[in-house]
Amino acid sequence: MYVDTGIWVTIANGLVNVNDKYKDASRQLVVGIKSNGGALRPVLFDGAVTPRKILPGINEFFFVVGNVGPSHNKMTINTTTGVIEFSTVKFP
């Protein structure tokens, strides 16, 4: 999934990862994942990538580009039903 200039969030073999083509755009982006109502865990924060496993159930991805404002983008993947939803929500 294309997030911002040169940045792709990929899910392969159940692992979420971030690829920053230009190696500097990722400092302006935060990507977090929350699985089954658990804690929000960083996938990308301050340019550092921490690959995360997708767990069975509901996985929520949060994307913030630039300064954290009143809202950010959210993608929810339900691995049980196969439903993917996109929304704009307040930062958790």
Side-chain angles (χ1 to χ4, degrees):
M1 175 176 51
Y2 174 77
V3 178
D4 195 12
T5 307
I7 297 176
W8 288 84
V9 174
T10 60
I11 302 171
N13 299 319
L15 190 66
V16 179
N17 209 340
V18 176
N19 180 3
D20 180 358
K21 180 178 177 182
Y22 302 108
K23 304 295 182 211
D24 62 349
S26 60
R27 294 206 181 273
Q28 298 299 314
L29 175 67
V30 174
V31 178
I33 184 173
K34 190 181 215 184
S35 295
N36 297 314
L40 182 63
R41 300 173 298 149
V43 176
L44 175 64
F45 182 74
D46 198 24
V49 176
T50 306
R52 302 283 182 186
K53 279 285 201 186
I54 286 202
L55 300 178
I58 298 174
N59 293 273
E60 299 171 299
F61 296 82
F62 298 90
F63 306 95
V64 179
V65 179
N67 294 329
V68 177
S71 65
H72 64 285
N73 294 316
K74 175 182 168 185
M75 176 180 73
T76 302
I77 299 175
N78 186 325
T79 60
T80 304
T81 63
V83 173
I84 299 174
E85 296 177 353
F86 293 90
S87 57
T88 300
V89 297
K90 290 188 177 189
F91 194 80

